[in-house]
Amino acid sequence: MIFDKTCEVRENFDDELFKGINEVLPPFSLRHVADDTQIQH
């Protein structure tokens, strides 16, 4: 869903943006956080 002056529903509208982000940034992972923290469920 895109919220703007005119709202609309579009499918995969930001694929090109994510391609660029994935080229610049390292892969995202929370594994290092989970390894250092005791998580209680």
Side-chain angles (χ1 to χ4, degrees):
M1 183 84 181
I2 299 174
F3 296 97
D4 203 350
K5 290 181 180 181
T6 303
C7 298
E8 59 183 287
V9 176
R10 283 200 262 162
E11 199 170 313
N12 301 325
F13 69 94
D14 51 3
D15 282 350
E16 291 297 318
L17 174 65
F18 280 113
K19 285 179 189 176
I21 289 173
N22 290 334
E23 290 175 6
V24 176
L25 297 178
F28 179 76
S29 173
L30 290 175
R31 174 170 270 194
H32 70 281
V33 174
D35 289 343
D36 296 339
T37 306
Q38 291 184 354
I39 299 174
Q40 295 180 351
H41 298 273

